[in-house]
Amino acid sequence: MIQKILIANRGEIALRIVRACRELGIKTLAVYSEADVQSLHVQLADEAICIGGPRSSDSYLKADRIIAAAEIADVDAIHPGYGFLSENAKFAEQCESCNIKFIGPKSHSIKMMGDKAVAKDTVKKAGVPTVPGSDGPVENETEAVKIARKIGYPVIIKAVAGGGGRGMRIAHNDISFAKEYHVARNEAEKAFGNGSVYIEKYIEKPRHIEFQILADSHGKVLQLGERDCSVQRRHQKLIEESPSPFLTPDLRKRMGKFAVKAAEAAEYENAGTIEFLVDAKGNFYFIEMNTRIQVEHAVTEECTGIDLIKQQILIANGEKLDFDQSDVKFEKHAIECRINAEDPARNFAPSPGTIGLYYAPGGHGVRVDSHAYSGYAIPPYYDSMIGKLICFGHDRPTALKRTYRALSEYIINGIKTTIPLHKAIMSDPTFMEGKATTAYMEDFFARTPTDLFS
Ligand code: MV4
């Protein structure tokens, strides 16, 4: 059995991994940057090693230093969390070749799904519905515009190395297409060192619905239901919930089956997510796969009662999933609000600084995953998410009211946070009626005075 795990991350997810390890009787090693000495995961882990300067590029992204720390402390495995090195196929390979278990999929699956055109082609060949578009990357502008015309405008141009909304451009006609095609290529080249792009029909105001997958190293692939992540701003999710208020039992069942098929096509192992776009008519299309544990995994944990981090560790240890698809019961409705150190009334400007009083809500059906505490100084170098509030109950109205209640109890003094914004959304009729699409936030801001969430 795995005896000791290095946690190659920070913040709430590092803490979440420490907690899972404690319950499994596994020792933990925290690696941290000079800016994170005060961080809760450093205090709570059994051992801690400083790996470099405050900037991620000097610490949490330094694969060699992390592997060196792993060898010095003699760990059996590395949990990458999300972000940083979690979807870096080279790092996974490096771990494998150093005889350290990478708690995640095999590097070939990361590589395959990391190329969004290969990912799409792979699942399409397995019969999973994908958005009509080019067959893989487009070679040049002449070919590209031909394909765009054939698909019919509007179209979306996506970087094969992109994902999560980075490197995408929308075109409505031949003229804008010529421009956006070059902008997309240049942006992709700059951002990823790979200018390759592919084209898809642009689906207007879709819902963004993803399925949680767990797959063991013995070929068992299970789906743990969906999360509706439609409430997002500039590709940053703000709220996630499960079950999706939009899906019918029949649609859910069909999508779940295709999610399993997609994961099987990727020869997937460990926890992963299959992302779909769903249009107003209920047509659904695979768009990409995330080969990591996600921020919003806790939503699925509260709906199913399954501890996803523990399952990740057991799978990496070579164990068989000890339950079947029919054992997965969806008994709760859960809503997650991301609590960011940002000012929603000032265009989400980062609001780092020292927290004065911190008081997290509690009570029936409330979970808070956060590394924050009274007196904690939020470093300016990293993601602004300082916590997640997950509220759950037997149905959506219960979860909604509970979320509003818990947000009202949450005290984070000294900095601006997204708490007031979440309160405004939880009492907004469109959201309450379960009608939010990916166009929701923009519309919400257009019709809501900022004093309602500042
Ligand atoms: C799309 C789409 C519409 N049509 N693909 C955004 C996240 C990334 N995982 C995929 N995304 C989208 N892909 C097709 N064929 C709409 C989105 C999308 C989006 C795109 C541009 C600007 C804002 C957006 C917000 C949500 C989803």
Side-chain angles (χ1 to χ4, degrees):
M1 177 64 187
I2 293 172
Q3 308 277 325
K4 198 199 277 188
I5 290 175
L6 181 155
I7 301 162
N9 216 301
R10 61 178 304 281
E12 69 85 20
I13 192 64
L15 190 56
R16 172 72 188 84
I17 298 162
V18 170
R19 287 169 169 161
C21 288
R22 273 284 143 76
E23 293 180 18
L24 285 168
I26 296 170
K27 291 259 181 288
T28 52
L29 166 66
V31 292
Y32 64 99
S33 77
E34 284 163 12
D36 277 339
V37 183
Q38 308 271 353
S39 198
L40 210 50
H41 83 279
V42 178
Q43 318 284 313
L44 289 183
D46 296 299
E47 294 171 55
I49 298 179
C50 181
I51 50 165
R55 281 188 302 233
S56 305
S57 53
D58 292 329
S59 48
Y60 298 106
L61 291 171
K62 281 250 187 261
D64 295 345
R65 291 195 196 166
I66 292 165
I67 301 265
E71 290 185 327
I72 289 164
D74 197 25
V75 308
D76 313 290
I78 296 181
H79 197 305
Y82 49 69
F84 298 125
L85 297 168
S86 62
E87 295 184 279
N88 186 314
K90 259 200 196 140
F91 180 65
E93 216 168 79
Q94 224 175 329
C95 293
E96 285 165 27
S97 69
C98 291
N99 227 355
I100 301 162
K101 290 187 171 102
F102 176 82
I103 303 175
K106 296 289 169 237
S107 59
H108 75 88
S109 297
I110 302 178
K111 210 177 285 169
M112 196 186 338
M113 295 296 114
D115 182 314
K116 303 302 163 186
V118 171
K120 185 178 176 183
D121 187 54
T122 304
V123 309
K124 190 177 170 188
K125 286 192 169 111
V128 179
T130 57
V131 190
S134 61
D135 269 323
V138 285
E139 297 299 330
N140 55 58
E141 191 188 323
T142 318
E143 187 209 342
V145 83
K146 255 192 221 162
I147 292 164
R149 276 187 192 164
K150 198 173 127 201
I151 301 165
Y153 292 107
V155 300
I156 185 164
I157 307 156
K158 297 183 174 184
V160 305
R166 296 170 311 159
M168 303 188 160
R169 308 296 298 193
I170 299 154
H172 293 274
N173 52 56
D174 284 359
I175 295 170
S176 75
F177 184 85
K179 174 173 166 273
E180 300 298 347
Y181 172 77
H182 291 288
V183 173
R185 288 200 74 98
N186 287 332
E187 277 184 0
E189 184 62 51
K190 249 203 217 146
F192 319 112
N194 177 1
S196 190
V197 299
Y198 63 106
I199 303 168
E200 284 182 347
K201 177 84 187 168
Y202 181 63
I203 313 289
E204 314 240 20
K205 301 188 180 187
R207 280 175 177 77
H208 188 149
I209 298 177
E210 58 186 31
F211 276 74
Q212 178 66 52
I213 294 290
L214 271 185
D216 68 19
S217 57
H218 305 272
K220 189 191 276 188
V221 181
L222 304 178
Q223 57 91 1
L224 274 57
E226 83 279 10
R227 294 181 290 257
D228 192 321
C229 307
S230 299
V231 179
Q232 45 80 46
R233 176 189 169 270
R234 302 206 181 151
H235 304 296
Q236 288 288 88
K237 294 167 187 165
L238 277 165
I239 296 167
E240 302 96 349
E241 72 172 303
S242 185
S244 167
F246 183 75
L247 295 192
T248 60
D250 169 69
L251 196 48
R252 177 173 295 114
K253 201 166 148 190
R254 285 190 289 133
M255 289 177 73
K257 286 197 172 147
F258 281 122
V260 168
K261 268 199 181 167
E264 283 170 345
E267 300 177 57
Y268 205 75
E269 178 184 326
N270 216 288
T273 303
I274 307 294
E275 288 188 10
F276 292 100
L277 291 181
V278 186
D279 72 16
K281 291 181 185 156
N283 298 306
F284 60 90
Y285 311 93
F286 166 93
I287 46 168
E288 49 192 79
M289 178 171 199
N290 298 316
T291 58
R292 59 169 191 277
I293 193 76
Q294 287 187 272
V295 171
E296 58 268 30
H297 74 277
V299 168
T300 301
E301 291 185 326
E302 296 311 328
C303 290
T304 62
I306 296 166
D307 183 325
L308 288 170
I309 308 292
K310 275 191 193 169
Q311 292 301 330
Q312 283 196 287
I313 295 167
L314 296 174
I315 289 166
N317 199 44
E319 292 172 38
K320 287 184 173 169
L321 282 167
D322 66 354
F323 55 92
D324 297 317
Q325 190 64 59
S326 60
D327 299 319
V328 182
K329 296 279 190 287
F330 303 95
E331 295 183 322
K332 294 272 166 61
H333 194 103
I335 298 174
E336 172 174 278
C337 296
R338 294 192 187 193
I339 312 300
N340 298 343
E342 293 171 349
D343 186 352
R346 303 257 177 301
N347 208 21
F348 292 78
S351 180
T354 301
I355 296 174
L357 177 65
Y358 178 86
Y359 176 80
H364 190 46
V366 177
R367 167 175 171 180
V368 176
D369 278 19
S370 173
H371 60 294
Y373 55 85
S374 291
Y376 174 61
I378 301 158
Y381 307 97
Y382 315 106
D383 190 279
S384 62
M385 197 183 74
I386 53 167
K388 307 181 302 201
L389 170 68
I390 305 103
C391 295
F392 44 96
H394 65 280
D395 61 12
R396 190 169 191 268
T398 307
L400 255 173
K401 277 180 265 182
R402 192 160 281 159
T403 303
Y404 190 89
R405 183 272 287 176
L407 287 163
S408 306
E409 279 176 32
Y410 215 152
I411 302 171
I412 307 180
N413 288 342
I415 57 157
K416 294 284 185 189
T417 75
T418 47
I419 291 171
L421 171 66
H422 285 304
K423 285 179 73 178
I425 296 172
M426 290 306 138
S427 41
D428 178 53
T430 307
F431 183 81
M432 293 176 84
E433 287 164 22
K435 290 181 178 158
T437 70
T438 50
Y440 172 75
M441 280 313 301
E442 210 173 331
D443 170 69
F444 175 86
F445 285 120
R447 63 183 162 77
T448 311
T450 53
D451 58 288
L452 246 138
F453 49 81
S454 55

